[in-house]
């Protein structure tokens, strides 16, 4: 078998099985989104704790706390990968549904 034949067969397979492939990617994406969110939350908690300790030392005030806005400004970038993965996951699930609906409509 040559490369051209393998590529053609692979293209047919992907076209035929696209709803299942997209569903699998959606499920995997959900897991990755959960993992990335947990990882970002862990880092955010450590970063906020560090910032508040440094603020207490610098200001000499034991009740020093960051405001919600300051917290958000310091940690929002940590959640970008999780958000991007979540958006792609939703896209895969919607695309799988649309492909399957078109196939059912073609059968009817």
């Amino acid at each position: 078998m040559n490369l051209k034949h393998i590529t053609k067969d692979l293209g047919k397979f992907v076209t035929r099985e696209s709803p299942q492939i997209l569903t699998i990617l959606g499920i995997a994406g959900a897991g990755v989104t959960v993992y990335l969110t947990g990882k970002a939350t862990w880092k955010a908690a450590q970063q906020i704790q560090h910032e508040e300790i440094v603020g207490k030392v610098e200001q000499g005030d034991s009740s020093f706390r960051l405001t919600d806005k300051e917290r958000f400004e310091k940690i929002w970038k940590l959640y970008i990968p999780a958000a991007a993965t979540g958006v792609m996951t939703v896209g895969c699930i919607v695309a799988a549904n649309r492909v399957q609906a078109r196939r059912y409509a073609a059968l009817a």
Side-chain angles (χ1 to χ4, degrees):
M1 294 174 78
N2 60 13
L3 186 60
K4 188 175 184 179
H5 185 66
I6 292 171
T7 306
K8 185 178 177 183
D9 287 348
L10 183 63
K12 286 181 182 179
F13 172 78
V14 169
T15 301
R16 184 178 66 244
E17 302 296 332
S18 62
Q20 290 82 1
I21 293 169
L22 289 167
T23 300
I24 291 168
L25 289 173
I27 292 167
V32 171
T33 301
V34 168
Y35 170 76
L36 290 174
T37 303
K39 186 177 169 184
T41 301
W42 186 262
K43 284 183 179 180
Q46 289 178 333
Q47 188 173 348
I48 288 171
Q49 185 179 21
H50 174 73
E51 291 289 332
E52 287 184 345
I53 289 171
V54 169
K56 287 177 184 178
V57 170
E58 287 178 354
Q59 304 226 350
D61 184 9
S62 62
S63 63
F64 175 81
R65 291 185 51 89
L66 294 172
T67 64
D68 289 341
K69 183 178 179 181
E70 291 171 333
R71 288 179 181 195
F72 177 78
E73 290 172 352
K74 292 190 181 296
I75 65 170
W76 71 271
K77 292 178 186 174
L78 297 173
Y79 290 95
I80 291 174
T85 306
V87 168
M88 287 188 281
T89 298
V90 170
C92 286
I93 293 169
V94 169
N97 188 18
R98 291 187 74 188
V99 169
Q100 202 64 18
R102 286 181 185 170
R103 288 184 182 178
Y104 287 144
L107 288 173

